[in-house]
Amino acid sequence: MSQSRFATIILAAGSGTRMNSALPKVMHPIAGQPMIAYLLQAVQPLAPAAIVVVIGPQMEAVARTVAPAETVVQDPPLGTGDAVRAAFRAMSGRLSPQGEIDEVLVLYGDTPLLRRETLARFLAEQERAPAAILLAGMRPADPGPYGRLISGPDGGVLRIVEAADSNPEEYAIGLCWGGLMLIRARHLCELVDGLDRNNAKSEFYLTGIVGLATDKGLQCRAVELPAEELIGINTRAELAEAEALMQWRLRRGAMEAGATLVAPETVFLSSDTRLCRDVVVEPNVTFGPGVTVGEGARICSFSYFEGAAIGAGARVGPFARLRPGAVLEEEVHVGNFVEVKAARLGAGAKANHLTYIGDADVGAGTNIGAGTITCNYDGFNKFRTTIGKNTFIGSNTALVAPVTVGAGAFIAAGSVITGDVPADALSIARGRQVDKPGRAAAIRARLRKDKD
Ligand code: UD1
Ligand code: CA
């Protein structure tokens, strides 16, 4: 089978009842990414001739997430077999005996841990020993609700029995179906059309096609794949298990790529987190989606990042928060209780304590004193603050945007800056200090007397 001769159908139309959620099941994120995106990332590099995702009514968000993959709506969802039939609409002539597609790979949208390499191995198995239907077998620790593979005398698979329809002997079988099936295209329509709803859930089960194929004398067989890649997510508890497995996969990947995670079990990564060589991440750090960290940067404990680029050699945290659009160039220092949003800090700039920098450009080498706030919002609109290179912003400065501070300027502590500051100027914008000698003692004496 040449790789371009298979098409993929991903099933995602189920209502996900067991999740008890307003969000379609396949949109629940794992490591910051909807679970269905993982399947697409696994299958796309294998260059299928087509990818069709079957979605339910009102699942436009799923369609947007999987684009440019085609989607078809299964309305109403009447089971996994019915979902595959719905996909035929999008594939029409291509599945016929003269069509361009030899094999159809069916994936279940709720098995996000399947890796590309494992999928490739599965496809290669079909080339080695072709069957009418190739199934992914697995032996999960708890076979629970999975379909059981009923093996024949020659080692092939005769049929799949759903747990809900099994007798005690079948239920005791440990070899389960892992939601991954490769079907020879020329048999598929006929097999799916032969399905009925005589089962515990009154649904068209896709798994029924294995028994139908056996009845027609077609050979079905299973290849065993690692259960931890095939677990299906049906409940919130399983979602949490998948999250834990994915986190370990990402942490191992980050460490192999040269990052030190001092306590990896306390660091949470997103599927797209990029940590360069010799990054050190201290305990208890969360990387939301869209974060990159340059070589040699140090991320101190209790920091939280989303949509941020951290430059090489930077030092961030402890207790720092970087929000979308935060860009820290090389050697920037961002310290405790500092929040940065939609702002660029030039090389070597420092904001070490208790600061909010939002909608701003901060020049290289600038020092932002403790308690500095960019006042970027008037309740209706956002405005930008521009700070030049090598400026010194004194502690507890409020920069009321829109405002520009010229390069080399020096702002006195406690200033409220409402107008532009020229380059190299000293700017003081606060009440002048007045000292009244002896007045404190006099006030105390009066108050004491009033109290007696
Ligand atoms: C299914 C299999 C079971 C297998 C397990 C592997 C069937 C009948 N059972 O059980 O043998 O061991 O997966 O994880 O196939 N879906 C639709 N349309 C529908 C119904 C479901 O698109 O009408 C989609 C769901 O969104 C989901 C996938 O198909 O992504 C599987 O459905 P689900 O209800 O989770 O099946 P399981 O009960 O887990
Ligand atoms: Ca499932």
Side-chain angles (χ1 to χ4, degrees):
M1 183 187 63
S2 94
Q3 289 200 328
S4 60
R5 306 274 301 176
F6 80 96
T8 300
I9 300 175
I10 303 179
L11 303 195
S15 49
T17 319
R18 290 164 281 182
M19 293 293 276
N20 191 10
S21 174
L23 193 65
K25 176 165 74 173
V26 299
M27 289 301 286
H28 279 262
I30 292 177
Q33 175 173 264
M35 57 172 113
I36 192 151
Y38 288 97
L39 284 160
L40 288 162
Q41 286 161 4
V43 77
Q44 267 158 351
L46 305 174
I51 300 179
V52 176
V53 182
V54 184
I55 60 174
Q58 272 108 48
M59 287 195 189
E60 293 79 13
V62 182
R64 282 195 297 276
T65 301
V66 303
E70 296 172 63
T71 45
V72 292
V73 178
Q74 181 198 10
D75 188 10
L78 296 175
T80 48
D82 179 59
V84 169
R85 187 169 27 215
F88 291 170
R89 266 183 268 138
M91 300 191 158
S92 52
R94 290 182 281 175
L95 291 178
S96 66
Q98 300 77 32
E100 83 220 45
I101 294 167
D102 295 329
E103 312 264 357
V104 174
L105 174 70
V106 176
L107 300 173
Y108 280 6
D110 62 353
T111 58
L113 295 171
L114 178 63
R115 289 183 314 126
R116 179 192 314 164
E117 297 78 2
T118 308
L119 194 51
R121 184 145 65 84
F122 181 73
L123 294 173
E125 187 61 29
Q126 175 73 336
E127 269 183 86
R128 196 186 62 79
I133 301 180
L134 184 69
L135 301 155
M138 62 162 178
R139 294 182 187 276
D142 175 16
Y146 292 109
R148 308 299 200 265
L149 298 185
I150 310 295
S151 304
D154 61 350
V157 177
L158 299 178
R159 57 201 169 89
I160 301 178
V161 178
E162 289 302 307
D165 299 288
S166 64
N167 62 36
E169 202 182 312
E170 291 161 342
Y171 191 80
I173 293 172
L175 186 62
C176 299
W177 181 50
L180 185 58
M181 197 186 278
L182 190 61
I183 308 146
R184 202 166 287 151
R186 65 174 184 275
H187 303 308
L188 185 58
C189 296
E190 194 191 342
L191 290 171
V192 170
D193 281 339
L195 291 172
D196 61 37
R197 298 166 75 173
N198 301 327
N199 52 55
K201 294 188 185 156
S202 298
E203 286 182 358
F204 295 99
Y205 291 162
L206 178 63
T207 43
I209 68 169
V210 178
L212 295 176
T214 300
D215 292 346
K216 289 181 191 298
L218 299 170
Q219 209 230 341
C220 308
R221 65 185 193 93
V223 47
E224 217 176 301
L225 298 177
E228 67 270 18
E229 289 192 36
L230 291 173
I231 59 169
I233 313 303
N234 300 315
T235 64
R236 304 265 182 175
E238 285 161 346
L239 182 68
E241 271 172 51
E243 177 76 40
L245 289 166
M246 186 64 79
Q247 285 299 334
W248 274 112
R249 204 181 274 180
L250 295 170
R251 290 166 188 147
R252 271 196 299 273
M255 291 189 279
E256 278 159 20
T260 291
L261 308 186
V262 176
E265 69 282 10
T266 68
V267 173
F268 293 85
L269 302 166
S270 283
S271 58
D272 62 353
T273 304
R274 257 196 34 236
L275 307 181
C276 291
R277 242 158 46 123
D278 294 320
V279 165
V280 175
V281 183
E282 293 182 2
N284 295 301
V285 175
T286 298
F287 293 88
V291 179
T292 59
V293 184
E295 195 161 329
R298 185 171 190 97
I299 310 299
C300 303
S301 290
F302 303 106
S303 294
Y304 190 102
F305 309 135
E306 302 163 86
I310 299 172
R315 189 187 166 94
V316 183
F319 298 99
R321 178 168 183 207
L322 301 182
R323 292 171 50 203
V327 177
L328 313 187
E329 293 182 355
E330 309 79 58
E331 307 288 338
V332 162
H333 288 192
V334 164
N336 37 261
F337 305 107
V338 173
E339 174 181 342
V340 181
K341 183 216 77 170
R344 172 180 289 272
L345 273 66
K350 293 188 175 64
N352 273 326
H353 335 263
L354 302 165
T355 285
Y356 173 61
I357 303 174
D359 303 305
D361 290 288
V362 176
T366 278
N367 188 88
I368 307 269
T372 297
I373 306 288
T374 53
C375 309
N376 59 332
Y377 186 50
D378 61 7
F380 296 91
N381 299 299
K382 298 270 171 71
F383 300 98
R384 288 196 79 77
T385 299
T386 306
I387 302 174
K389 286 183 187 169
N390 300 318
T391 68
F392 181 92
I393 312 294
S395 293
N396 209 30
T397 293
L399 296 154
V400 183
V403 71
T404 298
V405 178
F410 191 109
I411 294 180
S415 291
V416 177
I417 300 295
T418 54
D420 291 352
V421 177
D424 289 319
L426 165 67
S427 182
I428 308 170
R430 63 185 185 215
R432 182 175 282 279
Q433 184 168 329
V434 181
D435 298 325
K436 302 197 171 175
R439 274 289 281 280
I443 290 170
R444 260 196 308 275
R446 180 166 54 78
L447 293 175
R448 201 173 292 125
K449 192 163 153 253
D450 288 354
K451 204 166 178 202
D452 289 342

